[in-house]
Amino acid sequence: FTLVDPLTGPGKGVRFSDVAGLREAKQEVMEFVDYLKRPEHYKSLGAKVPRGALLLGPPGCGKTMLAKAVATEANVPFLSMNGSEFIEMIGGLGAARVRDLFKEGRKRAPCIIYIDEIDAVGRKRSGQPSLAGTSGESEQTLNQLLVEMDGMATKEGIVMLASTNRADILDRALLRPGRFDRHILIDYPDLEERKQIFEQHLKGIALENPPNSYSKRLSFLTPGFSGADIANVCNEAALHAAREKKKKVVKIDLEYAVERLVGGTEKRSHAMS
Ligand code: ATP
């Protein structure tokens, strides 16, 4: 797994203000920030804070960013792992990885444990024993995850966040009260959010005019784009300007980048429909 110190690690200092749009999602995770800052205070009041949340939504819309921002704002370590890292493991290694992750989390509490693409490890169990009579490797891994999540209830100061775009295939045990009973939707950005995301990413680019003179038009040109697509547009535009040996990025570079990426997002929406 990866351990990121919020202030020195990679992606350091991703703050709520860097995450454009997602107003409601930010409000929902704010409670975790306050809890991580002073778990004892909550404990002394007898308040039970949800131990975690599932961030649901399509790829590239800010789930990982938001989870990292919670860690930065609370100034706690961020331990992350991708669900696919738990699978394709044999001889109980997947379950051992889960144990290690939580062991480290207990050592570093208060902290955040984040599992990206949890569907890779958390898909519905078949309920059928395998040929050898034992449950399969991936079921063992999922069982271990459930055990660790339940064990977490006795330890203060660990917030568990996970993301998926396939909530429909998750094992129901993961969604029971006390586990991921709280769901936060992080969907494709709407018009206004796209404008804000453009402004955020255009800030880092040498533009001919200020970002807000382009962002409105760009947001109209990009329905269906994710935040990651928008970041890509901005970078493509800068690359285009560089290839053409310009000193500043201009409107044409941005429009060229949008056109280039529209092809890709159209293909994706056909694949989804
Ligand atoms: P995945 O499911 O593929 O892991 P994700 O939802 O976790 O996707 P992120 O990794 O958070 O997506 O976002 C990818 C990149 O897209 C970010 O690093 C950032 O550059 C950009 N991005 C996405 N959403 C936003 C946003 N709301 N504001 C600013 N930038 C964004």
Side-chain angles (χ1 to χ4, degrees), residues 178-196:
R179 293 180 183 149
F180 290 115
D181 47 358
R182 195 184 256 210
H183 295 177
I184 301 175
L185 182 65
I186 303 200
D187 209 348
Y188 284 112
D190 63 18
L191 186 70
E192 177 57 32
E193 288 175 316
R194 289 199 299 279
K195 182 169 167 281
Q196 291 171 18

Side-chain angles (χ1 to χ4, degrees), residues 216-248:
K216 189 166 177 195
R217 178 166 159 72
L218 286 167
S219 66
F220 273 105
L221 292 175
T222 49
F225 274 47
S226 67
D229 295 329
I230 291 175
N232 230 336
V233 166
C234 298
N235 191 47
E236 277 289 332
L239 289 174
H240 187 253
R243 276 198 298 273
E244 304 222 320
K245 308 211 165 25
K246 294 176 191 161
K247 289 223 164 59
K248 297 274 179 191

Side-chain angles (χ1 to χ4, degrees), residues 54 167 170-183:
L54 195 60
L170 287 185
D171 196 285
R172 285 173 60 188
L174 272 174
L175 308 175
R176 284 213 193 106
R179 293 180 183 149
F180 290 115
D181 47 358
R182 195 184 256 210
H183 295 177

Side-chain angles (χ1 to χ4, degrees), residues 18-20 22 58-65 116 197 201 227-228 231:
D18 299 319
V19 184
L22 301 182
C61 291
K63 299 185 289 297
T64 306
M65 239 189 142
D116 202 356
I197 300 173
H201 286 275

Side-chain angles (χ1 to χ4, degrees), residues 67-164:
K68 279 189 177 159
V70 175
T72 313
E73 299 287 348
N75 196 19
V76 300
F78 181 78
L79 282 121
S80 73
M81 196 144 173
N82 192 295
S84 60
E85 291 175 59
F86 293 117
I87 55 167
E88 290 166 21
M89 295 256 167
I90 48 164
L93 257 184
R97 281 207 164 189
V98 172
R99 259 197 308 276
D100 288 350
L101 176 66
F102 280 82
K103 196 170 149 200
E104 194 65 30
R106 282 191 292 274
K107 244 198 280 177
R108 301 200 178 254
C111 70
I112 289 190
I113 293 181
Y114 178 62
I115 301 182
D116 202 356
E117 296 179 41
I118 195 171
D119 43 284
V121 64
R123 53 179 65 230
K124 287 186 185 102
R125 288 165 292 185
S126 62
Q128 308 261 324
S130 69
L131 284 180
T134 56
S135 60
E137 187 68 29
S138 58
E139 299 198 359
Q140 276 182 34
T141 309
L142 174 56
N143 287 336
Q144 187 64 38
L145 180 61
L146 296 171
V147 167
E148 296 288 353
M149 287 182 76
D150 293 345
M152 227 168 66
T154 56
K155 175 78 194 170
E156 301 307 310
I158 300 182
V159 165
M160 174 135 188
L161 299 174
S163 76
T164 181

